Amino acid sequence: MQVYWIKINKIIQESSEVRTYLLDCPQDFTWEEGSHTHFALKGFNIGDKPNRSLIRHMSISTLPDEGAIGITTRIREQCSEFKAILKSLKVGNEVAIFKTHSNVPLKREGKNVYLLSSGVGLATFRPLVLDYLKRPDNVNRLHSLNIDSSKEFLFSNVFQSAPDRDFTSQFVDNRKDYYEQVKKLATDNDGLYYVVGSDEFLVQNIEILREQGIKSEQIVIDKHEEQRAEFLSVDLSNKGLG
Ligand SMILES: Cc1cc2nc3c(=O)[nH]c(=O)nc-3n(C[C@H](O)[C@H](O)[C@H](O)COP(=O)(O)OP(=O)(O)OC[C@H]3O[C@@H](n4cnc5c(N)ncnc54)[C@H](O)[C@@H]3O)c2cc1C
């Protein structure tokens, strides 16, 4: 396993609680849109076993052609040890990343793609939207719906509807509006539905999508195959994986 120790290049305060850490990009490192990585702090690999309290899964909120690895996260007043240390880090300090993989690349199957997210989950979708806007090939149209009760909506320069480019971006600040909107979107029975947020958020969205007749193969979540099957209650033995 290759661990990349890299410097923080810039820290962007996206909203009162959300920051993006732009990390130097090693020359031999690249990634697909929708990737997540293991993001670790100094000391995580000192003992016999990796210290999990110094490691978190994080999505990469940038594309390789932006020249930096972006990690976007919410740091509340009451936060974990991990976030407290992260908050104290400055430009020039080193962090580590390893085991990077995308479960949610943009599927180019000629369909309408719906990106459903909660809060900072939008970070996972930022590179998908940029990739689509650069090259819309084989994506019929793209629609993002994000719920953020803080009302401080993220990445508003990227998540801006562009009707001429078949991209729609919607932000809502409450669950009622959010789920009403999901039900409306799910009337498209041939679309692909990406969902990113807490596990509870995934469960609720999957339930509503299924109620509207959306099949599990149309739902894309940021989980590896086995976990995905559990969330979607798919029988892996039928696919030779069980
Ligand atoms: C594939 C994948 C991708 C992910 N991508 C991202 C990403 O891009 N960005 C991201 O931010 N997260 C992402 N996550 C989630 C991430 O790994 C962390 O689980 C998440 O950020 C919470 O971090 P934390 O445990 O350090 O807790 P915190 O964020 O610090 O806290 C979680 C909650 O507990 C409360 N809390 C914590 N400590 C205390 C305390 N001492 N007293 C009272 N309340 C407390 C906080 O207020 C908060 O509500 C991803 C997860 C996966 C699996």
Side-chain angles (χ1 to χ4, degrees):
M1 178 185 78
Q2 180 158 13
V3 177
Y4 293 93
W5 284 100
I6 44 186
K7 284 198 170 121
I8 298 172
N9 188 289
K10 194 172 176 184
I11 302 171
I12 302 168
Q13 192 77 43
E14 305 277 5
S15 70
S16 52
E17 289 182 335
V18 177
R19 293 177 180 197
T20 295
Y21 291 82
L22 291 179
L23 314 176
D24 284 345
C25 187
Q27 265 194 345
D28 61 338
F29 182 83
T30 192
W31 66 96
E32 259 187 305
E33 73 281 358
S35 286
H36 67 271
T37 192
H38 290 69
F39 182 50
L41 307 177
K42 214 170 189 172
F44 88 94
N45 55 354
I46 283 179
D48 297 341
K49 282 197 216 148
N51 179 352
R52 289 186 177 277
S53 64
L54 296 177
I55 309 170
R56 289 292 182 275
H57 283 110
M58 289 286 162
S59 296
I60 301 184
S61 59
T62 50
L63 276 181
D65 67 9
E66 294 180 87
I69 300 165
I71 300 290
T72 303
T73 192
R74 187 181 300 279
I75 308 183
R76 292 199 163 97
E77 193 70 16
Q78 294 271 29
C79 63
S80 60
E81 180 198 8
F82 180 93
K83 299 260 174 106
I85 298 171
L86 182 62
K87 195 175 180 180
S88 72
L89 297 185
K90 306 261 180 303
V91 168
N93 288 151
E94 280 193 333
V95 292
I97 58 166
F98 55 95
K99 286 204 276 184
T100 304
H101 170 74
S102 180
N103 294 315
V104 291
L106 182 60
K107 294 192 185 199
R108 297 182 180 274
E109 298 177 356
K111 305 211 167 177
N112 296 331
V113 174
Y114 301 93
L115 308 176
L116 310 176
S117 63
S118 160
V120 90
L122 200 63
T124 314
F125 291 146
R126 183 182 176 276
L128 273 76
V129 172
L130 290 174
D131 198 50
Y132 167 78
L133 292 173
K134 242 182 7 189
R135 193 172 70 87
D137 305 9
N138 294 323
V139 177
N140 200 42
R141 63 188 197 87
L142 191 64
H143 189 123
S144 164
L145 173 64
N146 177 258
I147 174 170
D148 199 325
S149 57
S150 76
K151 301 187 192 191
E152 293 182 275
F153 303 121
L154 296 172
F155 308 127
S156 46
N157 57 338
V158 171
F159 286 81
Q160 213 174 71
S161 292
D164 53 325
R165 302 169 88 181
D166 295 317
F167 173 56
T168 308
S169 172
Q170 276 183 297
F171 290 100
V172 293
D173 62 14
N174 65 84
R175 287 181 187 214
K176 184 173 167 285
D177 289 353
Y178 176 81
Y179 287 112
E180 264 175 29
Q181 199 51 42
V182 172
K183 282 184 191 164
K184 270 193 208 157
L185 296 177
T187 55
D188 176 359
N189 274 85
D190 194 39
L192 294 172
Y193 295 84
Y194 287 59
V195 191
V196 167
S198 66
D199 285 356
E200 189 200 355
F201 182 77
L202 297 188
V203 169
Q204 284 173 0
N205 277 271
I206 290 168
E207 202 177 297
I208 288 179
L209 291 171
R210 299 298 294 269
E211 276 168 15
Q212 306 301 308
I214 304 302
K215 299 188 191 74
S216 37
E217 51 272 30
Q218 292 170 262
I219 303 176
V220 186
I221 57 177
D222 198 355
K223 300 280 180 194
H224 58 71
E225 193 55 47
E226 251 171 61
Q227 268 185 309
R228 178 178 185 279
E230 269 175 42
F231 271 86
L232 294 163
S233 311
V234 178
D235 184 2
L236 285 183
S237 58
N238 292 337
K239 296 185 173 175
L241 296 165

